[in-house]
Every structure is written in C-alpha cells, then in structure tokens.
Amino acid sequence: MANPADKDNVRVVVRVRPLNDAELAAGHRSAVEVNSLAGSVSLRSPSAAATEPPKTFTFDLAFGPDSKQFDIYNQVARPIVENVLEGYNGTIFAYGQTGTGKTFTMEGVRTVAEKKGIIPNSFAHIFGHIAKSAGDSKFLVRVSYLEIYNEEVRDLLGKSQSQRLEVKERPDIGVYVKDLSAFVVNNADDMDKIMTLGNKNRSVGATNMNEHSSRSHAIFTTTIERSERGLDGQNHVRVGKLHLVDLAGSERQTKTGATGQRLKEATKINLSLSTLGNVISALIDGKSTHVPYRNSKLTRLLQDSLGGNSKTVMVANAGPADYNYDETLSTLRYANRAKSIQNSAKINEDPKDALLRQFQKEIEELRRRLEEEGDGPGESGSGSGEESGGEVGAEEGGGSPGGRRRGAGRPRRLTEEQMAEVQAQLDADRRRLQQEKGMAEAERTRLQQQVEQHEKELAQAQRAHDQLAEKLALLEKKIIVGGVNLLERSEEQQRLLEESARELERRQQKEQQLQQALQMKEAERLDIEERYSSLQEEAVGKTKKLRKVWQMLLEARCELDDLRAEQQREKEGLLENVRQLTSDLRLQQLLIDQVIPAEYQAMVEQYATWNDEIGEWQLRCVAYTGNNMRRSSDTGDQDRPAQPAVDLSHVYLTYASDGPGVSVRPKSAKHRHARARSAAVSAPKVVKQRV
Ligand code: ADP
Ligand code: MG
C-alpha cells in the first residue's frame, strides 16, 4: 500500500491542577513544581529532609496550575484531531487519581467558553475544519459513547441502560462493540446534545455518582469519514477514529477501605487499569512477545491505541497537595513509562466498513429512482444506516437507530409525466361534471367515481414521491459537504480556539528565543569554569563538580528507596488480592467437594487443558460426551472416528433433578471396577438413559 505507517512514540503530557479551596483552607502546601519550559515536573516529599533533592521527571509537555483549557487543546489535542481529520486513528487518555482534573481536562465546564475541555473543543475544531475544506470533500461524522464499569460495557447513548454489550472481534474490521449506537451528527451543537444525553445516562443506576465516575472508564468516540476524488479520478474514503478516554481513578483501592462486594468491584475495575499497566510494561519491555490486551475490556477495545495503529497522547493529571505525594509520584512514574511506547499509525484508506460510500450509493440509487419513478411499488431495501460491524447509523438527536421503514399499503409510483397526465384527466372530468348539466345519472355517477379514483391515485403517488424525497433528504443531511458552515453556536468557540492557537505560536517563538539565549549563556559559563587559571580555582571547580555528583548520588539513592517502597506497596496490594482469591477458591472447593467425588475430580483435572487463546480451561474430550457419544457408540467401535487424545467416552456428567452427579457407563471389567469404586466413594447417580 502506498500508505506506510508512521512510527512514533506515545506523547505524554502532565497537567497539575491548582490547590483547591479546601486544600488551601486546611493549610496544605504544594509539593509539585512545574517547569513548563523544560517540560519537567519536580516533586518534593513532605517527609523528606531539606537536603533531599526533589524527584524530577521530564515529559513532552508539562502544564502547571494556571494552564488554560485552550492551551491544553491547542498543544495536546489539536495535533491529534488534525491527524484524525486526515484519516489516522487518534486517542487521548486522561490518567490520574480521582479529583485531579481528568474530567475537567476531557470535558471541562461546557457552559463556559474558556473552560470547555478537549471533547467540546474538538467538536468546534472538527466542524470548523469541514467548513474550511474544499467543496468536493464530503464528510460523515458519527459519535458513540460507552462506559466500562466492573468489566461490563454499557452504551451511554443506547435505549436500554440495563443492557450490557459484548466486545467482539472480526478479522476484517478488528475489535468492536456489538450493537453500540452510533449517532450521525452534522454540527457541533448535535454533538453537544449527545454528550449531555450520554452523561445523563452515566448517572443512571449509580447510587453515588462520584464513586461511580471514579471507578468507571468512559470512552467518547468520534468517527470521521471523508471522501475525496483522488488523482486516479476515483473517489477515496479515509476514516479516522478519535477515542477520548476518561479513565477510572488510578488511586490504590486499599486507601478507600473497600471490603467485600466493593473490594470485588475494585479488583475488577483495577483489572482494566492494571491490565493497562501490564500492557504498557509488555510494550516497553522489548523482550515480551505477548501483550495481554485480551485480559480486560478496556485494553481490548483500545488495543490500537497502545502499540498499534494510532496517534496517542496520555494526559497524566496530578494534584499538587503534599498529602497526595504518593499518588502523584505513582502517576508520574506511570506516565514516565508510557513515554517509551511506540505506535505505528497509518492513514485508513478505503476500509471495508466505510459508511460514507454506502450512503453515497444509496443516495445515487434514490435519486435515480426519483427520476424514473413509475416502475412499480417499492421501498428501498438497503436499510440505510446498517453498518457491517454491528454499529448503526442513527438519526441525530435521539432518533431511532436505523432507517425508518413504512409498513403496509405501498402505493404505486408514477413519473412526473404520468402524474401530470392523471391531473389533466382529473381536471377534464371535473369540468365535464360541472358544465354538462344534462348528463344521464349513470354517466354522472361513473364520472364522479372516476374523478375520485384519480384523486386517490394522485394523492398516493404524491405520498410515495414525498417518501422517497424525504428519505433522500434524510440521507443527504447526514453527509456534510466541505466548505459549508455548520458551526452555528460554536462558531465563537472556534474563533477563540484559533485566536489562542495563534497567540500560542507567538509565545512559543518567544520562548524558543529565550531558551536559546539561556543555553548560550550556560555554555559560556561552563566554558569559563573549565578554564581554571590557578590551582585554587581548580579546587573550587572540582568541589563544585563533586557536589554535583554527590547530589546525583543522593537522588539515585532516594529513587531506589522510593522504588522499593512502591514495590512493597504493590506487593501488599497483590497479597491482599491473593488472600481474597484464596478465600473464594476455598469456597468453590467446598462446593465441588460436596457434589463431585474426589476420584472424578482427579479425572477431570487430569484431562482438563488450558487454552491460552481464549483464556479458559477446556475438557479435551468434550466432543465425546452427550449426543456425540451416543452417535459414536451407535456406529460401533470399529467405525468410530479417530479417538481423542484420551478416551473419556465412558464418563459423563448428569444433572438429575436432585443435583448433579457423575456416571460411568460400564464397558469392560475395568470400567465395572471403576464403577464399583465410584459407588464406594459417594454413590453417584446411575443414569439409565444416556444424555
Ligand atoms: P477527576 O475527573 O480526575 O476525578 P475532576 O475533573 O472532576 O477530577 O476535577 C476535580 C475538581 O477540580 C473539579 O471541581 C474541577 O473543576 C477542578 N479542577 C480540576 N482541574 C482543574 C484545573 N486545571 N483548574 C481549575 N480547576 C480544576
Ligand atoms: Mg472524573
């Protein structure tokens, strides 16, 4: 393909929020210092001695407490959204402890222009871009919004909030969520309404919204398809997918004192987050051959975003207060590791599941039929809006998914000419009825009926015509033509965004100049220091260097202690999980011991094998149970198909009304013996009729 993948690293930026009123009132101090010029963040431990140096991490960008939403958009999100408009996949993750500004960064305050977050600003950006595109570009924009809570996927735009969706995979289109709604939008206001609807649904069923949002992952996905005429004269479709992900809080669960059911939930929620961590570890390890994407819903759905076909940014949100030191440190470390992930993004050109092409075909077909109507009754059978991956294109603003179909009474369609003919006939008949007063009664009745018939026919034809035209208009409305201004209310937002992008550029130029001047000064200083003019100066110079090296040693020691402490905390967390799982396991074992004799447990254990592909235990001879077993014994032993690795055909599980049991169908003395032994163990139910 003439479309090679760009190899680039996941960009990682850090954003530290300001101390809030409660923290200020409680006298908390900031433990974090941000150097946005250098892109670094320094963290000082509240318990450390004054001599202990702070820990410093460097990222692609670092934003301090007074960073503006527009700056975040322009520096972090804008490049990604531009890429998506070009047909790349893009992902922006917000990672961090609860209360550090993930939702503020992703969504912000949607009613205040300067406080809008990445999602609403991306709406203004996308439609602003379309408005400026050439008129021969056609766009189809659709959004979906889902939540992962407790390893269950919920469609936040779906009709039923109690429904749980399945994550599926197909070789041609990859991983997708079955039956997830997708809403076609054609202006920024539509997107805003959809976001409101999704957020309302997020709180459905949540007893405590704060707790719910801190434990769930929300993924807002915008798919942009664009079609343009290529150099080859053909129309080509490019598809970019933008995932905007507000992750669950990264804080350790032990801190929240979860127990029982809540601990179980926490373990499950951690499953997605901890799998995310494991995926990152495997990706940056270099030696790992297996990346555990399949181990959680989040990593399965976003497997392209990490190490795959996507341009990805991670925004690590952190709180500044000293009491958050541990969590902030852990967030910075996490973010620091993510920097090394390599992705290879490529433009998605002419994918099989492009809806735009399907819609355009349908539009052409409808237009053709409108022009040459009259060739009999009919409705479009193509069901506008059905996407192969299981998604549906829905009417915007909460309409029912899929194209609406009209039911009974399909009228005959007439061409415009035929309609005019009928109309003329109708007029003539009407005139005759009025003018020829002396007409025979029978003739008058016949004419009257004819007039009524024609009136009916005409009305029906008109309705059919209107239906087709309406359907066409509906489809055409979904496709946005480049150069058409659809910003409406968000025009102001787009203007503000662009203004701040220009301002940013000016600032960056100035900063760059300053930085260069600073570097030159620093180089000069070092140069002077290096040329010692006397022994005395040499001693001073070397002492300085020694101090520097000493400082580095201290930093390294601190780092080591920290890593040890972090590892210890992680170990304790894992041990706690192990204790919980052991207790669960004992309960399961107790249940099993009650119903399955030990001998058969051993047998099942012997023949069970672990299937790494699907992550499940399987009985190797499962094909030789139930009806399959009957079939194979009916045909006689010599006709049997090739034997499985182990012949378990004489063992089968039965479920009698009074409880499950294991049965043995005696075939030989050996088997009879086995049966007698099993009876001695716990008298299993003997099944007379084979299952
Ligand atoms: P999270 O989603 O990570 O749990 P939120 O986004 O809900 O955190 O932020 C918690 C609170 O802090 C909110 O009231 C939010 O408005 C405020 N906040 C977060 N980041 C900032 C920021 N950069 N500037 C001002 N207020 C912020
Ligand atoms: Mg939040």
Side-chain angles (χ1 to χ4, degrees):
M1 255 200 159
N3 180 8
D6 302 353
K7 263 217 175 298
D8 49 13
N9 280 42
V10 167
R11 288 181 82 215
V12 179
V13 310
V14 169
R15 183 182 200 184
V16 180
R17 72 153 165 77
L19 282 166
N20 60 31
D21 291 347
E23 287 165 345
L24 286 170
H28 286 296
R29 301 246 302 265
S30 173
V32 184
E33 208 168 286
V34 177
N35 179 346
S36 49
L37 260 184
S40 65
V41 178
S42 300
L43 182 66
R44 190 177 284 282
S45 161
S47 59
T51 50
E52 193 179 301
K55 284 175 229 325
T56 302
F57 299 86
T58 308
F59 300 96
D60 290 286
L61 290 167
F63 295 91
D66 35 356
S67 64
K68 302 279 172 287
Q69 294 283 61
F70 281 140
D71 291 342
I72 301 279
Y73 189 80
N74 285 321
Q75 295 187 67
V76 179
R78 181 178 283 277
I80 296 276
V81 177
E82 295 280 343
N83 281 323
V84 173
L85 282 157
E86 289 301 306
Y88 287 97
N89 295 333
T91 308
I92 304 176
F93 286 106
Y95 178 89
Q97 184 190 357
T98 297
T100 53
K102 293 184 296 300
T103 307
F104 186 77
T105 299
M106 295 315 282
E107 187 182 345
V109 184
R110 277 190 291 136
T111 46
V112 185
E114 352 27 286
K115 287 197 178 172
K116 287 188 183 187
I118 290 176
I119 300 179
N121 278 330
S122 74
F123 302 167
H125 180 184
I126 290 167
F127 289 103
H129 179 100
I130 294 178
K132 280 192 225 131
S133 303
D136 67 339
S137 320
K138 309 275 187 308
F139 293 84
L140 180 71
V141 183
R142 59 193 197 279
V143 296
S144 46
Y145 194 14
L146 65 83
E147 175 182 83
I148 305 173
Y149 183 74
N150 233 347
E151 284 304 291
E152 287 178 337
V153 179
R154 195 152 64 103
D155 183 355
L156 292 174
L157 305 178
K159 282 206 211 89
S160 156
Q161 286 307 305
S162 54
Q163 199 186 344
R164 299 293 172 260
L165 303 187
E166 281 177 80
V167 177
K168 297 250 176 194
E169 195 162 352
R170 259 180 33 189
D172 53 345
I173 54 167
V175 178
Y176 65 96
V177 179
K178 189 166 175 271
D179 296 333
L180 181 68
S181 340
F183 281 67
V184 172
V185 287
N186 37 28
N187 59 58
D189 290 348
D190 278 352
M191 271 189 157
D192 201 51
K193 274 185 222 143
I194 283 176
M195 175 122 221
T196 306
L197 169 75
N199 284 354
K200 209 173 88 214
N201 282 337
R202 244 193 128 176
S203 54
V204 170
T207 41
N208 176 343
M209 192 46 206
N210 274 347
E211 192 178 294
H212 181 87
S213 71
S214 76
R215 285 161 177 249
S216 65
H217 311 276
I219 308 180
F220 191 93
T221 305
T222 308
T223 308
I224 305 173
E225 296 187 6
R226 69 188 293 172
S227 142
E228 268 142 342
R229 197 171 290 276
L231 292 174
D232 57 0
Q234 301 288 317
N235 273 335
H236 290 280
V237 178
R238 283 179 280 163
V239 181
K241 246 187 192 160
L242 174 67
H243 294 301
L244 300 172
V245 190
D246 189 346
L247 291 169
S250 59
E251 59 274 10
R252 279 186 193 81
Q253 295 301 332
T254 43
K255 206 173 166 182
T256 59
T259 51
Q261 179 59 27
R262 281 187 47 206
L263 181 69
K264 257 191 196 164
E265 275 182 20
T267 330
K268 275 198 177 173
I269 285 150
N270 268 343
L271 182 69
S272 268
L273 258 197
S274 61
T275 308
L276 188 68
N278 295 342
V279 164
I280 294 176
S281 302
L283 284 171
I284 62 179
D285 176 24
K287 289 194 287 283
S288 273
T289 50
H290 177 73
V291 182
Y293 292 114
R294 300 179 67 95
N295 289 8
S296 80
K297 295 267 162 51
L298 181 78
T299 49
R300 265 196 94 183
L301 281 178
L302 297 174
Q303 60 177 295
D304 256 348
S305 307
L306 294 167
N309 174 20
S310 171
K311 305 263 184 188
T312 299
V313 178
M314 177 178 281
V315 183
N317 288 92
D322 43 14
Y323 70 97
N324 282 140
Y325 174 83
D326 284 346
E327 290 297 346
T328 301
L329 182 61
S330 136
T331 297
L332 293 176
R333 281 195 203 292
Y334 196 95
N336 202 39
R337 289 187 326 136
K339 289 192 304 196
S340 325
I341 301 173
Q342 276 222 321
N343 280 6
S344 32
K346 63 174 182 59
I347 293 178
N348 305 306
E349 200 155 11
D350 293 322
K352 285 205 180 64
D353 55 338
L355 259 192
L356 188 56
R357 174 151 299 142
Q358 201 177 313
F359 280 5
Q360 278 174 324
K361 265 198 203 132
E362 270 183 54
I363 287 175
E364 269 170 36
E365 167 72 8
L366 282 172
R367 281 211 187 110
R368 192 186 56 74
R369 284 179 46 196
L370 267 175
E371 274 165 22
E372 40 178 83
E373 270 177 333
D375 46 357
E379 276 283 300
S380 165
S382 42
S384 61
E386 300 253 335
E387 206 185 41
S388 49
E391 284 185 41
V392 282
E395 321 308 327
E396 78 278 10
S400 64
R404 278 181 213 142
R405 272 163 220 211
R406 277 164 228 263
R410 287 171 182 173
R412 186 167 83 89
R413 294 212 170 106
L414 302 174
T415 60
E416 304 227 332
E417 266 170 39
Q418 284 169 324
M419 271 166 49
E421 257 171 46
V422 176
Q423 183 71 48
Q425 181 66 43
L426 186 63
D427 291 345
D429 289 350
R430 276 201 192 117
R431 261 197 312 278
R432 268 190 69 201
L433 268 175
Q434 270 188 348
Q435 286 165 359
E436 295 180 24
K437 303 278 182 218
M439 198 188 291
E441 190 57 31
E443 173 66 1
R444 174 172 290 278
T445 314
R446 193 193 61 76
L447 213 56
Q448 187 72 40
Q449 276 171 355
Q450 193 169 313
V451 164
E452 276 165 20
Q453 172 66 23
H454 280 161
E455 271 172 352
K456 219 162 106 190
E457 219 171 85
L458 210 70
Q460 275 185 349
Q462 191 61 46
R463 256 204 314 277
H465 179 88
D466 290 349
Q467 275 175 18
L468 264 191
E470 191 191 326
K471 193 162 186 180
L472 178 66
L474 210 70
L475 263 180
E476 280 180 329
K477 208 176 126 212
K478 288 183 179 178
I479 296 179
I480 317 167
V481 178
V484 177
N485 192 350
L486 296 159
L487 279 174
E488 296 181 12
R489 276 196 286 131
S490 50
E491 200 158 2
E492 177 64 7
Q493 192 71 16
Q494 162 71 1
R495 196 186 57 72
L496 288 173
L497 262 182
E498 287 192 350
E499 202 171 275
S500 67
R502 279 194 295 275
E503 163 67 23
L504 180 74
E505 211 169 298
R506 283 196 291 275
R507 224 167 52 205
Q508 277 175 337
Q509 269 174 6
K510 221 184 222 168
E511 274 171 8
Q512 213 173 355
Q513 284 166 359
L514 276 177
Q515 187 87 1
Q516 272 170 0
L518 207 69
Q519 275 167 0
M520 259 164 66
K521 280 258 160 59
E522 181 75 1
E524 274 169 25
R525 198 176 61 84
L526 281 179
D527 202 33
I528 293 166
E529 274 179 12
E530 285 300 323
R531 276 185 258 118
Y532 308 114
S533 51
S534 67
L535 266 180
Q536 173 104 23
E537 273 185 30
E538 188 174 344
V540 172
K542 292 210 160 143
T543 314
K544 250 190 198 166
K545 275 193 181 159
L546 198 65
R547 266 204 212 114
K548 179 114 190 108
V549 174
W550 183 244
Q551 186 85 352
M552 280 162 73
L553 179 72
L554 282 181
E555 274 178 26
R557 271 195 193 146
C558 265
E559 181 78 8
L560 197 68
D561 287 348
D562 269 359
L563 281 177
R564 277 198 191 120
E566 171 105 0
Q567 224 170 25
Q568 181 62 24
R569 275 196 299 271
E570 246 165 49
K571 206 164 105 186
E572 277 163 20
L574 286 174
L575 282 174
E576 206 170 302
N577 275 356
V578 169
R579 274 195 289 277
Q580 176 76 26
L581 289 172
T582 312
S583 147
D584 285 356
L585 189 68
R586 289 213 174 115
L587 180 64
Q588 305 294 345
Q589 191 60 46
L590 180 76
L591 291 175
I592 292 170
D593 288 345
Q594 290 301 308
V595 290
I596 306 181
E599 191 183 346
Y600 294 104
Q601 282 184 40
M603 207 177 308
V604 170
E605 220 169 272
Q606 190 184 348
Y607 299 126
T609 50
W610 175 252
N611 183 334
D612 209 26
E613 284 278 294
I614 55 167
E616 266 178 24
W617 283 98
Q618 288 184 318
L619 269 180
R620 264 186 288 165
C621 313
V622 84
Y624 285 89
T625 58
N627 286 329
N628 290 348
M629 192 175 78
R630 178 169 20 191
R631 221 172 292 130
S632 62
S633 64
D634 288 348
T635 56
D637 276 4
Q638 64 277 39
D639 294 328
R640 276 178 179 218
Q643 281 294 308
V646 180
D647 184 359
L648 256 189
S649 58
H650 57 288
V651 177
Y652 49 111
L653 294 170
T654 64
Y655 287 85
S657 59
D658 53 344
V662 178
S663 252
V664 176
R665 183 164 56 87
K667 280 199 327 187
S668 63
K670 190 169 141 231
H671 291 131
R672 266 196 298 280
H673 181 60
R675 191 180 164 206
R677 262 192 300 141
S678 81
V681 178
S682 75
K685 276 162 275 300
V686 176
V687 175
K688 304 217 168 54
Q689 249 181 332
R690 276 183 240 132
V691 263

